[in-house]
Amino acid sequence: MSGILPLQFRVGYTEDKNKAPKKTVPASVPGNAQRDWAIAENYPDHNFGDNFKMFGWMEDVYWVYSASITKNPAKEGERIYFVSKGIDYEFELLLDGRMILHQEGMFTPVHLDITDAPGKESDSVLEIIIYPAPKSKSASKGTNNEPDESVKPAVSYGWDWHPRLIPSGLYEECYLETKPAFHIRDAEARYELSNDLSFADITLEAQLKNPDEIPGKCKLKWELFDKNGDLALQHDFGCACCGISPQGDQKAQLRFDNPELWWPNGHGEQVLYKSVFTLSDPDGNVIDFKESRIGFRRCKLVRNPGAVDKGFPMSCDLPPITMEINNRRIFCKGSNWVEPEIFTGTITKQSYEPLVKLAKEAHFNMFRAWGGCMVSKEPFFDLCDEYGIMVWREFPLACNNYKDDPKYLDTLNRESVSIIKRVRRHACLALWCGGNELFNGWSGMDDQSHALRLLNANCYEHDRQTPFLPTSPIAGMGHGCYVFRYDNEHFMSQRLAGNPDYAAGYDCLTAMTDAGKTAYTEFGNPSAADAELLKSIIPEEELFPPKAGGAWLAHHGFKAWAGSNSWLYPEVAEYYFGKPENLGELVAYTQMLQCVGYKGIFEEARRQWKKCSMALNWCYNEPWPTAAGNNLISYPAKPKPAYYAVQKSCRQQMASARVKKFDFESGENFEAELFVLNDLPEKIAPCEIKATLESAAKTYFICAWQAKETPPSEHQRSASYSVKLDEPENCLMRLKLEVSGNPEMDSEYLFICKNKNSTKKILPESLV
Amino acid sequence: MSGILPLQFRVGYTEDKNKAPKKTVPASVPGNAQRDWAIAENYPDHNFGDNFKMFGWMEDVYWVYSASITKNPAKEGERIYFVSKGIDYEFELLLDGRMILHQEGMFTPVHLDITDAPGKESDSVLEIIIYPAPKSKSASKGTNNEPDESVKPAVSYGWDWHPRLIPSGLYEECYLETKPAFHIRDAEARYELSNDLSFADITLEAQLKNPDEIPGKCKLKWELFDKNGDLALQHDFGCACCGISPQGDQKAQLRFDNPELWWPNGHGEQVLYKSVFTLSDPDGNVIDFKESRIGFRRCKLVRNPGAVDKGFPMSCDLPPITMEINNRRIFCKGSNWVEPEIFTGTITKQSYEPLVKLAKEAHFNMFRAWGGCMVSKEPFFDLCDEYGIMVWREFPLACNNYKDDPKYLDTLNRESVSIIKRVRRHACLALWCGGNELFNGWSGMDDQSHALRLLNANCYEHDRQTPFLPTSPIAGMGHGCYVFRYDNEHFMSQRLAGNPDYAAGYDCLTAMTDAGKTAYTEFGNPSAADAELLKSIIPEEELFPPKAGGAWLAHHGFKAWAGSNSWLYPEVAEYYFGKPENLGELVAYTQMLQCVGYKGIFEEARRQWKKCSMALNWCYNEPWPTAAGNNLISYPAKPKPAYYAVQKSCRQQMASARVKKFDFESGENFEAELFVLNDLPEKIAPCEIKATLESAAKTYFICAWQAKETPPSEHQRSASYSVKLDEPENCLMRLKLEVSGNPEMDSEYLFICKNKNSTKKILPESLV
């Protein structure tokens, strides 16, 4: 059987690849060279202030890892392999000074037979030379366009929520492994579910290594165990008496009747089977085995009803973006996932699990795993398999124009095939996607881009049962809104387009009600982080009032995105509540707006079902503590109040109100339409929904809507109801929907009413 | 060297594949079994009346071709091959009763070594059994959905301009060929032009057959000859003294500096080089050679300026559909090409040449070779290479939902690779496309359809330098209008969408001015055929008045498309001119409207450059004489008047007027904007354009526009000018644009002005 031999690495840097580092320090593996160096040199916390800038010089040096290998680690008849799931990014592998591998790309595993490498009679030195961070010559220096000729994730080159800090190195485990010469190189059980879900056609495929060294009549069997651990199906390869013929691929086709299905969160159980290939020698001893899990589900993208083209000249219906799992159309509720640490080497199952668990608790069923970040490590997908979170997985392309360059395409080809072959085994994988915003003006790619045609072709060849999108958004889908209120020049496109409703500025509730997209795969509402977190990253003297410099700037409070005040936007808080007088008020104002905005957008997207089929906000989590941003969860895994507001908005069955804006003036009509939202394949009984609007001064009766039975996976909409507002003072108003006999479906919303003659300050309230 | 041995075939039918035909008749090869039978049995002309219906029974029988092969046709050391470029559609090939090939698909060539087949000691019988026309079980019987599980072109199952008459059989040449055992199996020179067009990277690849039978030291050379026949570049494979090593592929990379470029019609010369691979034996005698042509051009689809998305939530910019040849953006003017004969076997270079020549004379530079028809035979592409007509080539998918079915996908995979490998050698090939209207509601396919992902992947693998569209139209592009006036219910989508401009019906000039698409890849205006042609296909007693039955119906005058009056639409002619009193009037009325409509749409599309980049009308030609339709050219190659109107509208440099509708009332304002249209990469000098409107009663002065210099490949637009119409009687009005010093840029347009008090009949005039 196999044996793992750990390696003890040290790391140092050099500016000349041919010269050894002057100094080395202990390396964490998995880990990142930059972090190892910082720890050894006592750098201050990279999360505080603008300390991350101290890492800037590390981008352009070679990092050299070295470890010694004791002589003869392999026994007679064994082989010894150098193994890693990936090394970030371009590197050379040297054994006793001789290069045995040069690879560009962090997603292609390394599995190298070094049994016969020179030096095996004495101790050897293994070195891994990591190249400087890839930067294209045509890109502006210091921008996140620099990785546009590589498959290096762009985010660490700086983003509006990620500082410029580029990790590299042995971010996955690296070790030596001893194996019997004859063993399983790779084995996989794949399946295709029948249209009616009544059976799965299973394809087994295994490759055996060193077939010439087979130790007599060996046997290879495959077993499928159900969720209780009982054997559900099995197959013996080769001949019952002679065993297997070791040459060539071992293949088999089996039919498995009535598989228990895997369902996304909220729609059923996440049933996972276990698939085991076992290779045994003539005495029946196990030589090698491969184990993985299978969740049976059928995954398609189908057309969104109502997204059709009419009239001449006629274009075409909008592309499908409704996820159909096991023949059930599912509204995708969720968020954009980013890797939870800047230092990717430190990410473990423990980094992922609280976040995935919170997603399940928020009634989410999908993560869009965004293409600016690396493809997550295996535990992420394992957890999503278990918690029922579908994963929309993007390749590492984002916001750049990745050109039709043969060298780049070679790397992308190799890396993408490695990614597909690793991730396709997971039940949670629901969608492949080329990358982020590649068809938008700032990227400039399109359907003709060779990189995207290549990715489509590779996904088709290696995993055709999973849908593929070239990018997000494609035609009909939308990214945005990203702010609560659209007042400043940057957002005047609607106003400029002549829509009079937007003439005086508008909020995200208005914009989303009018949007009519097929899927909202990014939208956001910013808020400041909690005061406690702010104090941990911003020097006390800078805390209040916030300024566009120092730690507020470094942590994306200002000049992060469009306009100089993103993501804090203090003027938006001031517009509604007046000038915040202290940090506590600022945090409370922006966090209440974030709650209102997110609640409004998530529910509005759901109200637009079935034409609209997805609501995935930007973004879920963050890899370091931002001072302000659109995230629902602060680093490392602390929910903001908006998380709980969204959690309420994502209940599978609930009452919901469409109100087209947030702020009113006394004398205006307050209009609301009510909905019963039903994401479950079960009907909701007829009910009465009473709607009242409570202000400081009074309670308005809006309606008592007699909702009929709501069919499975459908919504129901009321007429529009209206009351005239009459408020003597500026105030908050709370809209309450009460559902007869179903209080768990009740909902609440907050609005503002102003009276021109009032100077009364409005104080935020909680929506949770 | 090679020798061709023709085969003399006879053909007959049987309902049972295992029983021989009761009778056989002489077969034309190339040809179609159905036509051979009809000739032998003295069927009347299939183009007259509804005679085509007599062929209906032929769909469901097996057609059996047979020919005898004289014994020992091959000499010692030679091989003998059965060769065909394709056999339509599914067939078995039998030699002396033994099946040696079973193939589905008409585009995959047959090249079968039958040297060692049994029976070579005596005369043999070769049989080809053609299966019945493919029909899927799920499709409605008798509809053109029937081929939705096959790669059989759908058009012959019946279309709105093609009768139901399904040909099959040996539609390409079939013969025996003798070859020296050692010969060239295949050889191709491919290239990639550098971005600055200064050199071509040429890749040579040749496969040699039967390398074990190489007769000593052989040589393989490649030569490139320029347009004058002079040697421009050459390469000798293998070693100068030992010759080639025959095993494996022969490969080479060469750089060719300063190639003369191939340009589309109107943009430069169609320079074609000749590529020759020559294999010679140790004595220097030529064993075999392969010759083809190369036109050096760089072909890309680039973004249409102005086709950008703005505002939040933001979708994405529209997909690129501007053809860029040799780094020059080119407005594509042209038409939709359909195969020129129902009986595909009769198509020769002589069928194609007059049509391609007329396209060049109309200033066209592109054919969209429509996916409902078969992929044209080689002479079509040769002619387009020579005349400079770019070809947008669709795969044989049209208006159906070709499902994710493994058997269908296998056939499509094989057939599409065959098509790509054949056609990619042609300079005229500008665009691959999955097929016709597959993303529209009636087809129901989308980006996720496996057939389209497969085609994209195959095009990428085998011809990545040519752009690929999944279908036409994709987002931003438009199909339509198809009629002159939108009055009847079927076309009320614009009216229903609440656009008040369309409340009282509207014409195609109005619709196109407002359309704003990136490319108009189908649009049409119908007219009756010439009286002479009508008399040749419609019995005299049915000729006038036309009725929705008999030959008018059979020849698509009625009930062909939307509404019961397509394509004749007598009510539209009546709306403008009053009831036609005889056949001559009917023809004249509809043909004048066709001229006006086509002129208006072609020029309006050009006026929308650069956001709009293509105007390809539906359709160019027809495979049989229709009584009415949108074609510019009647069967077989006779231009309608509209052809000449379009020819004028497609001049590279011209004056053009935007007038938003065709019919006016006295008292209304007549508004016009003038344009200088310039499709050439040369500027147009400043000029004065005088616009006058001549009616029966008077001449209105519209303007004398002082146009500035018009830059290369750009247009120039005037202000809007207006005059008030004052006409005592119904009349035609002729708008004349006269360009100072440039009379070849002058243009004319026809309009109608009505006076409510007038009963005067309007008589059509010529626009040509």
Side-chain angles (χ1 to χ4, degrees), chain A residues 213-232:
Chain A
E213 298 179 51
I214 183 170
K217 292 177 192 171
C218 286
K219 291 195 173 180
L220 177 68
K221 73 174 168 188
W222 174 78
E223 294 162 298
L224 184 72
F225 298 95
D226 67 17
K227 64 184 180 188
N228 303 315
D230 296 332
L231 187 65

Side-chain angles (χ1 to χ4, degrees), chain A residues 56 184 195 203 282 402 423 426 448 489 698 729 739 755:
Chain A
I184 303 174
N195 289 354
T203 304
Y402 298 84
V423 177
H426 289 279
Q448 304 305 326
E489 299 140 44
K698 65 180 75 164
E729 298 281 2
V739 183
N755 184 310

Side-chain angles (χ1 to χ4, degrees), chain A residues 533-553:
Chain A
L533 183 145
L534 291 170
K535 288 172 189 164
S536 77
I537 58 172
I538 299 175
E540 203 180 339
E541 64 279 13
E542 293 180 21
L543 268 173
F544 194 86
K547 280 195 290 280
W552 276 106
L553 181 69

Side-chain angles (χ1 to χ4, degrees), chain B residues 603-623:
Chain B
E603 290 187 28
E604 179 55 34
R606 293 185 64 187
R607 291 189 291 258
Q608 292 174 19
W609 170 254
K610 303 179 178 172
K611 179 177 175 190
C612 169
S613 57
M614 290 189 180
L616 309 173
N617 82 290
W618 185 271
C619 57
Y620 188 60
N621 58 321
E622 58 183 16

Side-chain angles (χ1 to χ4, degrees), chain A residues 303 311 313-315 320 439-441 444-446 448 450 453 456 460 464 467-468 473-474 476-480 493 517, chain B residues 303 311 313-315 317 320 439-440 444-446 448 450 453 456 460 464 466-468 473-474 476-479 493 517:
Chain A
R303 286 191 181 204
M314 190 179 285
S315 190
F439 287 179
N440 292 81
M445 296 178 78
D446 54 54
Q448 304 305 326
H450 286 186
R453 294 184 65 191
N456 192 352
Y460 185 75
R464 75 187 58 182
F468 174 87
I474 56 168
M477 297 163 55
H479 279 194
S493 48
K517 302 289 185 198
Chain B
R303 285 189 182 207
M314 189 179 286
S315 190
D317 295 357
F439 287 179
N440 292 81
M445 296 178 78
D446 54 54
Q448 303 304 326
H450 287 189
R453 295 184 64 191
N456 192 351
Y460 184 75
R464 73 186 59 181
T466 302
F468 175 87
I474 57 168
M477 298 162 55
H479 279 194
S493 48
K517 303 290 185 197

